[in-house]
C-alpha cells in the first residue's frame, strides 16, 4: 500500500479543517454513503450538459451510473454507462473506492427519467421542470422533500457515523447556479459544468429567464428559490445536511458547485447563531480537476458563501490525478473532458483519509477501464 497524500485545502479555517479531517479519518470505513439520483428537464437543453453525449442519452445517465456503482465493470449492465464526448464516467472512480473500502451505498431515486436496475429507494417522484419556467419543483413538493431530508438527517445522526452525500443530476450545475443566484450569491462564472468549456452565457440566459418568470429579485427565501429554480436533489440534501449537522454529525458533501448550492441552501435556512456549527460539520469535497479548472472557481464560490452568511465554509479537493496513467479514458480527465460526478471527488478523499495512497486508486481505475474496453 502506498502512502496517503493529504487533501488539498480550498476553503475554511485551518483548525476546523484539521478537526474535520481527523474525525473522518477515524471513521472512514464506517461512513454512510448516500447517492441521490435526480432529474431536471434543464438537462434536455442542447449544449447545457456533457453528462451524456446527447439529450436523449442523458435520460439514462443516472440509472447507468447507479448500476455501475453497485455492480462494477464485470457486471453485464442493463443500462450501460453513457457515451461521453471523451473519457469515462466518474462512476469508475466512485466504484473503485466503494469496493476498496467495502462501503455499501444507499441509492435514492428522487425523480429520474429512467430508474436504476439495482436495489434502490424510489420516492415516486418525477424530474423537475426546466428552471427557465420559474416553476421547477413547486412549493409543496419542495417542502415535502425538505422535511423528508430533515427526518433522514436526524435518524442518520443517531448512529454517530459520518455521512457522505453524493449526487447524480444531469443539468444540475445549471440548477445550482440558478439557486445560488436566487439566494443572492453572485455565482456567474464561478460554477463549473460537465462540459470541457461550460457555456456560461447559455447558463446565465436560462437562469435569467427562470428568475424573471418566478418574479425573484435579489435574495429570496430558500424554499421559494428551490420551488422556482431547483432540482429534486437539492431540498432533500439541504434538509438532511441541516438536521445532521445540528446533531453534531460530520458530513462530506461529495461534489463541486452542486454541493456548494446545497450548503448555501442549508445555511440560508439556518438561524444565524447556528450557522458556524453547520459550516464546521459539513465540507464540500471535490476532485482536483474541478478545483483547478480555469473556467470556474469553487474556492471563490465558497468564499462568497462565507461572506453572505458570516461563516468559513470547509472545502477540499482530493489529490487523485491521472497524469501518469496510460489509460486514454483516464487521460481525458487531465484534458478537462471529465471532472466530477457520482461523488467521485469526495469518495477519493475518503480513500485518502482512510490511509490509502492515490497510486493504488489510479491502478484500480485503470483495471476497471481495461475491463470496460473488453466488453
Amino acid at each position: 500500500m502506498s502512502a496517503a497524500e493529504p487533501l488539498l485545502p480550498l476553503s475554511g479555517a485551518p483548525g476546523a479543517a484539521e478537526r474535520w479531517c481527523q474525525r473522518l479519518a477515524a471513521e472512514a470505513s464506517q461512513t454512510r454513503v448516500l447517492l441521490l439520483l435526480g432529474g431536471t428537464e434543464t438537462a434536455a437543453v442542447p449544449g447545457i450538459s456533457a453528462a451524456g453525449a446527447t439529450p436523449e442519452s442523458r435520460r439514462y445517465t443516472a440509472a447507468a451510473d447507479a448500476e455501475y456503482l453497485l455492480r462494477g465493470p464485470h457486471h453485464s449492465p442493463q443500462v450501460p454507462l453513457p457515451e461521453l464526448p471523451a473519457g469515462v464516467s466518474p462512476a469508475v472512480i466512485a466504484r473503485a473506492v466503494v469496493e476498496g473500502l467495502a462501503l455499501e451505498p444507499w441509492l435514492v431515486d428522487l425523480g429520474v427519467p429512467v430508474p436504476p436496475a439495482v436495489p434502490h429507494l424510489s420516492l415516486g417522484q418525477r424530474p423537475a421542470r426546466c428552471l427557465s419556467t420559474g416553476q421547477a419543483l413547486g412549493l409543496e413538493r419542495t417542502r415535502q422533500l425538505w422535511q423528508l431530508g430533515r427526518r433522514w438527517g436526524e435518524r442518520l445522526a443517531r448512529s454517530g457515523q459520518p455521512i457522505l452525500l453524493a449526487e447524480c443530476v444531469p443539468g444540475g450545475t445549471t440548477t445550482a447556479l440558478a439557486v445560488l443566484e436566487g439566494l443572492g450569491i453572485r455565482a456567474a462564472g464561478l460554477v463549473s459544468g460537465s462540459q470541457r468549456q461550460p457555456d456560461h452565457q447559455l447558463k446565465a440566459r436560462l437562469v435569467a429567464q427562470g428568475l424573471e418568470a418566478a418574479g425573484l429579485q435579489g435574495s429570496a427565501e430558500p424554499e421559494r428559490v428551490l420551488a422556482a429554480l431547483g432540482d429534486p436533489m437539492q431540498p432533500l440534501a439541504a434538509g438532511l445536511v441541516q438536521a445532521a449537522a445540528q446533531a453534531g454529525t460530520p458530513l462530506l458533501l461529495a461534489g463541486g458547485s452542486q454541493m456548494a448550492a446545497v450548503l448555501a441552501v442549508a445555511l440560508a435556512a439556518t438561524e444565524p447563531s447556528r450557522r458556524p456549527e453547520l459550516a464546521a460539520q459539513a465540507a464540500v469535497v471535490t476532485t482536483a480537476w474541478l478545483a483547478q479548472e480555469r473556467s470556474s472557481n469553487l474556492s471563490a464560490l465558497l468564499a462568497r458563501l462565507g461572506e453572505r452568511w458570516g461563516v468559513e465554509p470547509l472545502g477540499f479537493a482530493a489529490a487523485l490525478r491521472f497524469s501518469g496513467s496510460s489509460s486514454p479514458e483516464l487521460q481525458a480527465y487531465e484534458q478537462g473532458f471529465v471532472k466530477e460526478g457520482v461523488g467521485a471527488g469526495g469518495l477519493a478523499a475518503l480513500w485518502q483519509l482512510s490511509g490509502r495512497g492515490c497510486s493504488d486508486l489510479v491502478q484500480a481505475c485503470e483495471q476497471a477501464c481495461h475491463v470496460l474496453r473488453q466488453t
Side-chain angles (χ1 to χ4, degrees):
M1 181 183 297
S2 57
E5 298 88 341
L7 301 186
L8 309 174
L10 301 179
S11 174
E18 183 178 359
R19 288 191 293 274
W20 184 90
C21 287
Q22 289 175 345
R23 178 76 184 273
L24 266 292
E27 301 181 74
S29 62
Q30 302 301 314
T31 300
R32 297 283 188 91
V33 177
L34 275 71
L35 175 62
L36 305 180
L37 310 172
T40 167
E41 292 174 3
T42 307
V45 175
I48 203 69
S49 173
T54 66
E56 177 61 22
S57 69
R58 290 193 284 275
R59 290 172 45 81
Y60 297 86
T61 298
D65 283 342
E67 186 173 354
Y68 184 91
L69 180 67
L70 259 60
R71 300 295 189 233
H74 296 279
H75 170 73
S76 180
Q78 291 192 37
V79 183
L81 289 176
E83 181 180 349
L84 305 180
V88 67
S89 168
V92 167
I93 300 172
R95 169 63 188 183
V97 176
V98 163
E99 187 173 27
L101 298 185
L103 301 172
E104 297 182 1
W106 296 1
L107 273 57
V108 183
D109 174 3
L110 294 166
V112 294
V114 178
V118 288
H120 67 281
L121 174 64
S122 174
L123 299 185
Q125 301 278 323
R126 65 185 184 281
R129 300 182 187 92
C130 181
L131 67 89
S132 63
T133 65
Q135 302 177 27
L137 288 172
L139 197 55
E140 181 179 358
R141 184 181 181 189
T142 297
R143 287 173 174 167
Q144 289 174 347
L145 288 170
W146 185 286
Q147 292 304 318
L148 180 61
R150 283 199 57 85
R151 291 197 297 271
W152 284 7
E154 290 167 357
R155 292 172 185 172
L156 289 170
R158 292 172 192 155
S159 71
Q161 297 168 281
I163 300 169
L164 186 150
L165 205 56
E167 55 74 29
C168 184
V169 186
T173 56
T174 308
T175 59
L177 172 63
V179 166
L180 288 163
E181 292 281 351
L183 292 173
I185 299 294
R186 293 178 294 106
L190 302 182
V191 170
S192 184
S194 55
Q195 296 164 309
R196 191 181 189 189
Q197 294 293 333
D199 190 337
H200 291 299
Q201 291 185 343
L202 174 58
K203 291 174 180 285
R205 285 197 300 272
L206 286 175
V207 171
Q209 290 171 15
L211 289 169
E212 182 177 0
L216 296 178
Q217 299 292 332
S219 176
E221 291 297 315
E223 282 188 346
R224 188 180 173 201
V225 171
L226 290 170
L229 307 169
D231 64 58
M233 180 275 294
Q234 295 164 337
L236 188 138
L240 191 156
V241 168
Q242 186 187 44
Q246 288 176 348
T249 299
L251 295 118
L252 194 163
L253 308 184
S257 308
Q258 290 171 259
M259 285 302 171
V262 167
L263 179 60
V265 172
L267 286 168
T270 298
E271 59 188 72
S273 64
R274 305 202 69 177
R275 285 172 182 159
E277 176 187 9
L278 190 156
Q281 295 289 356
V284 176
V285 189
T286 191
T287 65
W289 303 291
L290 191 148
Q292 297 171 7
E293 182 182 34
R294 293 183 179 180
S295 59
S296 68
N297 194 325
L298 182 58
S299 293
L301 180 58
L302 292 173
R304 291 190 182 177
L305 266 62
E307 294 167 3
R308 175 72 175 80
W309 289 291
V311 296
E312 294 188 70
L314 294 175
F316 303 93
L320 177 68
R321 299 302 296 254
F322 292 137
S323 53
S325 174
S326 60
S327 168
E329 298 92 344
L330 301 182
Q331 279 293 333
Y333 283 78
E334 297 298 330
Q335 298 160 6
F337 286 103
V338 195
K339 307 160 196 173
E340 172 64 281
V342 203
L347 284 162
L350 194 65
W351 177 276
Q352 291 177 238
L353 291 168
S354 74
R356 291 162 170 79
C358 289
S359 61
D360 298 329
L361 183 53
V362 171
Q363 185 177 23
C365 292
E366 288 177 332
Q367 291 172 345
C369 288
H370 176 75
V371 174
L372 288 171
R373 282 195 297 270
Q374 308 307 310
T375 58

